[in-house]
Amino acid sequence: MNSYYYTVYGLILCSNRLLPELILTQPPSAGNDPVIVSFEERSRNIPLPPPPNQSPYYVSPNKDTEGRPLVKAWCDDNYLFVFYLNGCHFVISRTGDTIKCIWPSKIDFGYVIAQLLGPILGSILQLRGILALHASAVVVRGRALVILGSHGSGKSTLAAEMNRQGCSVLSDDIAALTEYDNIWMVHPGYPRLRLWPTSAEAIYGPEHGLRRIAPGYDRWDKRYLDLGEGKRTFETQAQLLRAVYVLDWRDPPPDVIQVKPLLKREALVWLDALCYSQSNYDRRKRAQRLSNLERLLNSVQVRTVRPTADLATLPELSSAILNDFEDAVSRE
Amino acid sequence: MSIPSNITISQDVIFQEIDGELVLLDLQSERYFGLNEVGTRMWHLLTENSHTEIILTQLLVEFDVDETTLRQDVTHWISELVKAGLVTVNKE
């Protein structure tokens, strides 16, 4: 069986299938263990493994029309089991070394990859003790700017607008952070942004031409913005983290865009609440994460950003953040 | 209201100090709580000793406050912690 090696979020993946979304790399040297990713497509007639006999540690707040949660997750001593209502299953070793992806033939493979590159690798990073924020990241003057926000807050849209204004994209959906001697780095993701059609249209107009991520899955219409060609630049090297901007959509939205500093204790809560793997399945790791975030906040500035309700102000929102960031960088 | 004599921090609570103040996280509810400087000191004393009279005595030494006021404040503080599920009252 063929093995393909990829680099993403500072990890090396070893996959039994080609993943054109990712950046190919060489097999790793000894001591740098890859994450083994195995894919297994199943026909409808083969039953999927049942969930472990215990309560789920995670139940997604998003539900289908019949009130069933779209995602549930369980764990035992060795594995996390992440089951999607549509039949996609991911089995993750608690050592963060292996992922088994099982999905029914009716689901487009692009959808499976999108879940792998988001919440599943977010869990792997967390299991490996790497901070993984719900965030997108761009590069300005050789420093990483992280846009933090909950699901649907517009992180990718804002990163796309910043890219249009000349910034290289570093990562979408996950910002993987590592630290050495109080220097925090953000690792590159993969050379694409994922956008809803409304966001693509707001930035590039109705003829945006962005292709669907999962053309065979009608219920999910996200699009890929391909990066790494022409002006749509992508950064392939880890970058020094300088600032985090938290997208705060509390009601009511302000009439004018606001960018303000946060108290450290407020920033700690925002960052912890918006890390991947929010579950409490490992108390020790959660405490370690709070401790890591406290150290992060000693070297990184955090701002809250309150956008207006009008998507047409996206260029102004991007400019307001970039101006604030440039001020911070120029003070170094 | 009298002050409970013995209380214990819930096993579901983790905490982190930042800039001299504590952020508490209840892992069951995923709710965060902030403590001010005095609350932070009380919490640290609570991590070392579950007897509230010992905590009160230490606070009287450290803070410029009369005992009646302190007793009222600590009683209120503990009742808020109990209500939030952050500590449990141990039986006499």
Side-chain angles (χ1 to χ4, degrees):
Chain A
M1 187 183 292
N2 289 331
S3 293
Y4 306 94
Y5 291 90
Y6 299 97
T7 177
V8 60
Y9 309 134
L11 303 169
I12 294 178
L13 306 187
C14 174
S15 164
N16 64 347
R17 274 183 74 143
L18 272 169
L19 306 175
E21 292 83 355
L22 302 185
I23 298 172
L24 272 167
T25 191
Q26 298 296 316
S29 52
N32 187 7
D33 294 335
V35 181
I36 309 295
V37 187
S38 58
F39 292 95
E40 191 177 321
E41 185 174 356
R42 295 197 175 186
S43 74
R44 286 182 186 179
N45 298 329
I46 299 174
L48 293 163
N53 186 24
Q54 56 176 285
S55 300
Y57 71 78
Y58 174 78
V59 177
S60 80
N62 298 327
K63 296 181 169 59
D64 72 353
T65 51
E66 294 172 32
R68 295 176 296 180
L70 299 183
V71 186
K72 285 185 181 179
W74 292 261
C75 63
D76 65 15
D77 290 343
N78 299 313
Y79 296 99
L80 311 183
F81 305 84
V82 184
F83 289 6
Y84 286 66
L85 187 61
N86 63 15
C88 294
H89 290 191
F90 297 89
V91 182
I92 305 166
S93 67
R94 291 187 72 156
T95 53
D97 293 332
T98 65
I99 306 169
K100 191 169 188 178
C101 312
I102 305 161
W103 76 102
S105 305
K106 64 178 180 182
I107 301 294
D108 191 291
F109 187 56
Y111 179 86
V112 180
I113 295 303
Q115 302 314 312
L116 172 72
L117 295 177
I120 304 305
L121 285 185
S123 295
I124 287 283
L125 289 163
Q126 196 63 37
L127 287 165
R128 289 184 166 217
I130 298 166
L131 274 177
L133 300 174
H134 277 278
S136 297
V138 299
V139 181
V140 184
R141 292 175 59 178
R143 298 284 185 269
L145 181 167
V146 163
I147 307 157
L148 184 74
S150 55
H151 181 69
S153 62
K155 303 180 290 288
S156 304
T157 305
L158 189 51
E161 174 58 27
M162 288 178 169
N163 181 249
R164 196 188 64 80
Q165 292 188 20
C167 305
S168 289
V169 171
L170 182 59
S171 192
D172 184 28
D173 212 23
I174 292 179
L177 313 183
T178 55
E179 179 253 349
Y180 179 74
D181 207 13
N182 287 325
I183 293 173
W184 290 84
M185 305 296 286
V186 185
H187 291 270
Y190 53 95
R192 283 172 178 80
L193 283 169
R194 295 188 291 193
L195 301 174
W196 292 109
T198 47
S199 299
E201 193 171 324
I203 299 169
Y204 301 106
E207 304 299 321
H208 54 75
L210 302 188
R211 65 190 167 92
R212 290 187 62 178
I213 295 174
Y217 189 44
D218 292 342
R219 296 163 69 181
W220 201 65
D221 195 23
K222 269 204 170 178
R223 311 298 174 105
Y224 269 141
L225 171 65
D226 294 325
L227 303 168
E229 291 176 11
K231 290 181 179 176
R232 294 177 180 178
T233 50
F234 176 73
E235 176 56 54
T236 58
Q237 301 296 316
Q239 299 292 312
L240 182 72
L241 173 58
R242 183 65 182 82
V244 176
Y245 291 84
V246 183
L247 291 174
D248 180 355
W249 282 99
R250 267 177 306 164
D251 279 333
D255 296 328
V256 180
I257 294 160
Q258 297 174 356
V259 181
K260 292 181 178 174
L262 276 171
L263 294 173
K264 278 189 180 177
R265 68 165 188 272
E266 296 170 331
L268 181 72
V269 171
W270 272 108
L271 265 62
D272 188 66
L274 290 171
C275 276
Y276 271 89
S277 297
Q278 200 50 37
S279 61
N280 62 359
Y281 53 79
D282 193 327
R283 187 180 189 279
R284 186 182 58 81
K285 282 187 173 162
R286 286 299 300 271
Q288 183 61 52
R289 185 165 91 191
L290 279 179
S291 172
N292 289 341
L293 289 171
E294 189 270 335
R295 286 190 299 109
L296 170 72
L297 289 168
N298 286 325
S299 54
V300 171
Q301 137 188 317
V302 182
R303 298 269 201 261
T304 180
V305 179
R306 301 204 60 207
T308 68
D310 186 0
L311 194 56
T313 62
L314 186 60
E316 288 85 348
L317 178 64
S318 170
S319 297
I321 295 171
L322 291 173
N323 289 339
D324 185 81
F325 187 81
E326 296 245 11
D327 281 350
V329 173
S330 64
R331 288 196 303 273
E332 284 180 355
Chain B
M1 192 195 309
S2 65
I3 191 165
S5 64
N6 199 297
I7 56 176
T8 306
I9 295 171
S10 163
Q11 291 211 332
D12 292 321
V13 175
I14 58 174
F15 50 92
Q16 176 64 48
E17 188 161 344
I18 186 160
D19 264 7
E21 297 182 325
L22 269 189
V23 172
L24 312 180
L25 167 59
D26 179 355
L27 293 169
Q28 277 299 317
S29 64
E30 287 291 339
R31 285 180 68 200
Y32 298 88
F33 302 84
L35 298 183
N36 62 17
E37 186 190 348
V38 180
T40 296
R41 181 61 189 137
M42 286 196 268
W43 187 271
H44 280 313
L45 289 170
L46 189 55
T47 62
E48 296 161 5
N49 202 305
S50 61
H51 296 284
T52 51
E53 284 301 324
I54 294 175
I55 293 171
L56 274 165
T57 304
Q58 185 61 35
L59 290 171
L60 275 171
V61 172
E62 295 182 17
F63 292 93
D64 184 19
V65 62
D66 67 86
E67 185 173 349
T68 308
T69 306
L70 182 67
R71 208 168 266 281
Q72 284 172 350
D73 288 350
V74 170
T75 304
H76 176 70
W77 185 70
I78 289 173
S79 74
E80 291 293 311
L81 293 179
V82 171
K83 206 185 302 176
L86 300 172
V87 300
T88 52
V89 176
N90 300 324
K91 287 183 179 162
E92 304 290 319

